[in-house]
Amino acid sequence: MACLLEGSDLLKSSFINVPNKDKIAHFLFYFIFSILWYIFFKKKYTTKSSKIKYGLVIFMVATCIGGIVEICQYYCTNTRSAEWTDFIANALGSATGLLIIITTTRQRKK
């Protein structure tokens, strides 16, 4: 799991010099993660629940995963540090992805 590897072991791109690129990566990962899970749930369970319920469950799971990763980085590694801003970027990415996918998908007519 890359999130627990030593920081020097991760790929570093010297040609891209963007401030806070790690926060952007956290945001984008959880943005895509949440959208893909939403699409999966909507295809698998089309009539059992509402779009909002799927979104809330996925958001809670994604946020918990992000929190657990940060806790593991704090307690289980000597080379990684836990950051609240990473956790916030994770949650914002998930929420943004879900808001976009929920508002842009239509309910199928029966």
Side-chain angles (χ1 to χ4, degrees):
M1 191 171 195
C3 55
L4 298 178
L5 292 175
E6 184 177 338
S8 62
D9 290 343
L10 299 175
L11 295 175
K12 296 186 180 190
S13 56
S14 59
F15 64 91
I16 300 175
N17 190 13
V18 177
N20 298 313
K21 63 183 164 189
D22 64 322
K23 304 308 178 252
I24 295 169
H26 280 268
F27 180 91
L28 289 175
F29 176 83
Y30 280 85
F31 179 88
I32 294 167
F33 172 84
S34 297
I35 288 174
L36 291 176
W37 274 107
Y38 181 84
I39 292 168
F40 169 78
F41 276 113
K42 283 306 286 177
K43 286 186 186 235
K44 182 116 173 126
Y45 307 107
T46 53
T47 60
K48 292 185 181 179
S49 192
S50 72
K51 297 191 304 185
I52 303 280
K53 183 177 177 182
Y54 291 134
L56 287 174
V57 169
I58 293 165
F59 176 76
M60 290 187 316
V61 169
T63 303
C64 287
I65 289 171
I68 290 168
V69 166
E70 293 302 316
I71 290 168
C72 288
Q73 286 180 344
Y74 184 79
Y75 287 109
C76 301
T77 69
N78 293 325
T79 58
R80 301 295 305 261
S81 62
E83 295 182 29
W84 280 106
T85 51
D86 288 347
F87 177 76
I88 292 167
N90 298 343
L92 287 174
S94 177
T96 304
L98 289 167
L99 285 172
I100 289 171
I101 193 76
I102 288 170
T103 58
T104 59
T105 56
R106 293 185 180 182
Q107 194 75 15
R108 290 184 184 173
K109 294 182 181 179
K110 294 181 181 181

